[in-house]
């Protein structure tokens, strides 16, 4: 485990423990070294709901937790371990793998989500990871709405050593996607990463544009896009759940990226999002830097959420 990788986990842990500070304080106040009567279990359930885990997961976690037999003198550590296990049981089945180099070539990935959720940043991090592993990557600037968005993505592409295709702002995003896939096939790229716009104030227009992008990609490759990553910002809390609902219903999503789990994260919302979505959580963002993207590890996440160190700490 490199220094760098440990840094990721400590940032995740820091961010999540900030989001769950109240939760961890309450754990020790409410649950440690006391008999688990109904009022204490109710307090735990309430605490989980307040941490954005949602009522149904909160109920199941509380029930699983109550089934544990704690001695009179259960330590904070023991209580947290049991709670982490109960949270992990919810999330392990919702953990997925993003591995574009295991699929067909060119492997086409579409990034969708509202403005500011972290689509472009996530795409840039993935591009750098793939080129670092020797893959040939083409990036398409499908957010043709804002010139600044194209520039931001171009910087990421240059940094990653990936090739870049764009159109003047205002151009048809579907046309760009089509041209990009045609080029990726002709020039034998391993992966094509397609950014998109996220202006949800015109919801129907956006959904139509995304649907059209997918439709034209399928004219060239019926299997494309091989991955549709929905990028959600954890700091918006329960709004992330509403966004999952909107995009999940309108567009076929194959994986979720939950960003901004560092900093002011309200990481608990990952639990109801994971359960509401038909597709698994595949990646998490833990910072703005190029290396701040992690495969989603349900157990490490659960331990961090309840304020235990991740399994990669000494
Ligand atoms: N702290 C933090 N910031 C992030 C993360 N991912 C993205 N951001 C920041 O969120 C802002 C919006 O990201 P951007 O990729 O432009 O979002 P987009 O509109 O969906 O393309 C930028 O300032 C990013 O640096 C993350 O995991 N952690
Ligand atoms: Mg963007």
């Amino acid at each position: 485990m490199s220094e760098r990788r440990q840094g990721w986990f400590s940032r995740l842990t820091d961010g999540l423990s900030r989001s769950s500070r109240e939760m961890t304080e309450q754990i020790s106040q409410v649950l440690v070294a006391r008999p688990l009567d109904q009022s204490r279990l109710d307090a735990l359930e309430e605490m989980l709901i307040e941490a954005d885990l949602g009522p149904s997961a909160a109920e199941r976690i509380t029930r699983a937790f109550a089934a544990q037999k704690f001695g009179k003198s259960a330590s904070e550590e023991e209580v947290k371990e049991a709670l982490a296990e109960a949270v992990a049981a919810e999330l392990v089945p919702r953990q997925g793998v993003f591995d574009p180099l295991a699929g067909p070539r060119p492997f086409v990935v579409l990034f969708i989500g509202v403005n500011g959720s972290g689509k472009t940043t996530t795409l840039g991090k993935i591009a750098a990871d793939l080129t670092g592993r020797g893959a040939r990557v083409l990036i398409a600037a499908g957010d043709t709405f804002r010139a600044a968005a194209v520039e931001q993505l171009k910087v990421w592409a240059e940094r990653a050593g990936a090739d870049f295709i764009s159109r003047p702002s205002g151009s048809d995003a579907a046309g760009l996607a089509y041209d990009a896939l045609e080029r990726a096939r002709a020039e034998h790229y391993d992966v094509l990463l397609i950014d998109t716009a996220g202006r949800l104030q015109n919801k129907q227009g956006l959904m139509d544009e995304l649907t059209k992008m997918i439709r034209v990609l399928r004219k060239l490759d019926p299997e494309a896009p091989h991955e549709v990553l929905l990028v959600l910002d954890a700091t918006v809390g329960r709004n992330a759940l509403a966004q999952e609902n909107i995009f999940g219903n309108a567009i076929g999503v194959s994986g979720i990226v939950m960003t901004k789990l560092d900093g002011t994260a309200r990481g608990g919302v990952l639990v109801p999002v994971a359960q509401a979505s038909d597709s698994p959580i595949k990646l998490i963002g833990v910072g703005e830097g190029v290396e701040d993207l992690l495969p989603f590890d349900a157990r490490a996440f659960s331990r961090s959420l309840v304020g235990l160190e991740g399994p990669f700490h000494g």
Side-chain angles (χ1 to χ4, degrees):
M1 182 83 23
S2 69
E3 290 284 318
R4 179 74 203 172
R5 202 163 157 77
Q6 279 197 357
W8 287 344
F9 278 101
S10 66
R11 244 167 313 150
L12 171 63
T13 304
D14 290 350
L16 287 177
S17 61
R18 212 166 311 166
S19 78
S20 59
R21 183 184 295 141
E22 251 177 66
M23 187 158 137
T24 52
E25 276 170 12
Q26 286 184 43
I27 290 170
S28 42
Q29 282 171 16
V30 175
L31 297 171
V32 173
R34 295 186 192 173
L36 274 180
D37 60 17
Q38 192 55 47
S39 75
R40 299 205 183 284
L41 291 172
D42 289 347
L44 170 64
E45 192 170 329
E46 189 56 38
M47 185 172 95
L48 294 171
I49 292 169
E50 272 170 29
D52 282 335
L53 276 80
S56 52
E59 200 206 315
R60 280 193 305 274
I61 291 166
T62 303
R63 217 183 308 127
F65 182 82
Q68 304 268 338
K69 294 279 169 276
F70 293 105
K72 263 233 155 108
S73 57
S75 70
E76 185 166 335
E77 192 82 0
E78 283 174 280
V79 170
K80 285 180 177 174
E81 290 282 353
L83 197 51
E85 267 312 303
V87 174
E90 296 282 317
L91 289 177
V92 166
R94 310 300 307 139
Q95 174 183 311
V97 175
F98 175 70
D99 189 3
L101 298 184
R105 310 281 160 98
F107 190 89
V108 181
V109 186
L110 195 65
F111 294 78
I112 68 173
V114 304
N115 273 342
S117 61
K119 290 180 297 300
T120 302
T121 304
T122 301
L123 188 159
K125 292 171 180 175
I126 288 171
D129 174 58
L130 290 171
T131 55
R133 288 152 67 192
R136 290 187 64 235
V137 177
L138 181 62
I139 293 176
D143 184 354
T144 53
F145 202 63
R146 297 173 303 148
V150 176
E151 274 314 302
Q152 179 197 3
L153 187 61
K154 194 173 180 194
V155 170
W156 277 105
E158 280 165 6
R159 192 184 312 170
D163 292 324
F164 185 72
I165 174 168
S166 67
R167 292 277 177 278
S169 54
S171 301
D172 177 36
L176 170 66
Y178 185 92
D179 291 352
L181 181 52
E182 201 167 47
R183 176 172 160 195
R185 285 159 65 95
E187 298 178 21
H188 306 291
Y189 281 91
D190 297 310
V191 182
L192 169 62
L193 305 174
I194 306 176
D195 200 12
T196 67
R199 44 189 198 288
L200 204 57
Q201 58 272 30
N202 181 4
K203 192 168 94 187
Q204 195 53 50
L206 175 59
M207 296 308 157
D208 290 348
E209 177 173 291
L210 295 173
T211 308
K212 187 174 165 198
M213 286 174 96
I214 292 171
R215 200 168 57 234
V216 302
L217 288 169
R218 289 190 178 147
K219 286 185 185 168
L220 291 170
D221 178 354
E223 302 295 315
H226 304 92
E227 188 89 68
V228 178
L229 289 180
L230 173 60
V231 181
L232 298 172
D233 170 353
T235 65
V236 304
R238 301 284 292 179
N239 278 339
L241 198 56
Q243 290 166 18
E244 189 288 322
N245 188 35
I246 291 167
F247 282 93
N249 286 335
I251 315 289
V253 171
S254 64
I256 305 236
V257 184
M258 184 69 76
T259 62
K260 309 188 196 180
L261 286 170
D262 55 306
T264 60
R266 297 165 69 185
V269 76
L270 185 142
V271 175
V273 165
Q275 285 164 342
S277 175
D278 293 331
S279 50
I281 312 274
K282 295 196 169 174
L283 298 163
I284 58 172
V286 294
E288 300 186 80
V290 65
E291 294 191 49
D292 296 329
L293 190 72
L294 292 173
F296 175 58
D297 177 331
R299 282 186 194 284
F301 176 85
S302 302
R303 292 175 65 81
S304 296
L305 187 68
V306 303
L308 284 169
E309 284 185 319
F312 298 98
H313 289 268

